[in-house]
Amino acid sequence: MGSKNKLRRFKENETFTNVIQPSREEIVEESFPLKGKWRKDFFKNEQPIVLELGCGKGEYCLGLAEMFPEKNFLGIDIKGARFWRGAKTALEDGIKNVGFLRTQIELIDRLFEKNEIDEIWITFPDPQIKYKRTKHRLTNTEFLQKYKFILKEDGIVNLKTDSEFMHGYTLGLLHGEGHEILHANHDVYKNEFSPKEVVGIQTFYENQYLEQNKRITYIKFKVK
């Protein structure tokens, strides 16, 4: 994507009512006005809130929002030029239960209050295979504790990935730390018990993975 196109999308994002872009000052000083008030002030309802971390173009978030109109969905990514497409589509199609938040995932515990979130989706994250990149894996111990803080007591985390490494790493960590695994599947499209929200939504990149005969894996768990 050219720099002019990126700048145009950044500028357009500023006009979108479904896009939130906190300033660094708001985050550092913990003065972000929506913290603890996402339902009331952003979604303007009392429906459950579901986050998608690393939402990319927002395809999965939009799919979930249409599948579950009784829930609110918020896609999170630092790359605003990517989720521009999802935000624009949501506005054009009148999908009101979805929004987008531009921030680093490491900062989510500063942007949401304790127990404010009902569910988290992590879809096709970078597995960060090299050992020195462990701290960036979205299911490492530090991230899990951030999720535990913002999730309700019975809150759920979903991991959908094409990376066997990420799947195995996460399963091992969950078992080792005593978290509750609700569902684990090594090939969602060959398992009749795969949830509809796992097999009923496919992103552009997921379709590419499937064309390459990559298996799509899934884990559903609670952080203890």
Side-chain angles (χ1 to χ4, degrees):
M1 186 189 302
S3 57
K4 284 186 178 179
N5 207 15
K6 276 189 177 181
L7 289 173
R8 179 180 63 79
R9 290 185 174 188
F10 286 143
K11 202 70 179 173
E12 199 166 356
N13 276 347
E14 293 176 5
T15 70
F16 290 165
T17 55
N18 60 355
V19 171
I20 300 296
Q21 303 184 85
S23 67
R24 183 164 184 80
E25 183 181 21
E26 286 177 317
I27 297 172
V28 172
E29 296 181 358
E30 298 197 13
S31 60
F32 181 57
L34 287 176
K35 183 177 181 180
K37 300 177 181 177
W38 280 94
R39 284 179 180 80
K40 177 177 173 289
D41 292 350
F42 182 72
F43 289 107
K44 295 179 172 39
N45 61 52
E46 290 302 316
Q47 296 180 169
I49 298 178
V50 182
L51 305 182
E52 185 194 1
L53 306 181
C55 66
K57 296 179 181 179
E59 298 164 281
Y60 217 90
C61 213
L62 286 173
L64 288 169
E66 291 187 283
M67 191 175 283
F68 299 102
E70 73 281 6
K71 297 180 181 181
N72 299 316
F73 293 87
L74 192 64
I76 299 178
D77 209 299
I78 191 60
K79 296 186 177 179
R82 280 187 186 173
F83 68 59
W84 165 87
R85 180 63 269 172
K88 191 174 180 69
T89 297
L91 290 173
E92 290 173 343
D93 294 352
I95 306 172
K96 296 182 179 180
N97 63 322
V98 65
F100 294 88
L101 172 63
R102 184 171 184 256
T103 190
Q104 293 172 297
I105 295 170
E106 292 88 339
L107 301 173
I108 58 172
D109 53 340
R110 292 173 176 260
L111 298 168
F112 300 96
E113 193 53 85
K114 183 175 175 64
N115 306 135
E116 188 171 11
I117 302 304
D118 295 82
E119 190 172 355
I120 291 173
W121 278 83
I122 307 170
T123 50
F124 303 98
D126 186 332
Q128 308 288 358
I129 292 175
K130 292 183 179 179
Y131 179 75
K132 65 180 181 180
R133 301 290 296 176
T134 302
K135 67 179 182 179
H136 297 290
R137 291 177 198 154
L138 292 185
T139 55
N140 69 26
T141 299
E142 186 177 347
F143 275 113
L144 291 184
Q145 290 311 304
K146 289 179 184 288
Y147 305 156
K148 182 179 180 180
F149 175 78
I150 65 173
L151 280 168
K152 289 186 173 179
E153 193 171 329
D154 60 347
I156 289 170
V157 182
N158 304 274
L159 171 66
K160 186 178 179 182
T161 176
D162 65 304
S163 169
E164 292 184 18
F165 169 83
M166 187 69 170
H167 183 80
Y169 164 81
T170 303
L171 273 181
L173 187 69
L174 295 175
H175 279 299
E177 295 188 350
H179 304 297
E180 183 182 355
I181 298 171
L182 303 173
H183 184 103
N185 191 329
H186 287 274
D187 192 342
V188 298
Y189 294 106
K190 290 187 177 179
N191 188 307
E192 61 179 309
F193 299 108
S194 295
K196 65 175 182 177
E197 61 268 30
V198 176
V199 295
I201 303 170
Q202 292 178 1
T203 66
F204 172 79
Y205 289 109
E206 181 176 352
N207 281 315
Q208 286 192 330
Y209 301 147
L210 292 170
E211 287 176 5
Q212 297 165 19
N213 293 317
K214 283 189 174 183
R215 291 187 301 180
I216 306 301
T217 69
Y218 171 68
I219 308 172
K220 180 178 184 179
F221 62 94
K222 292 182 180 179
V223 184
K224 296 298 183 180

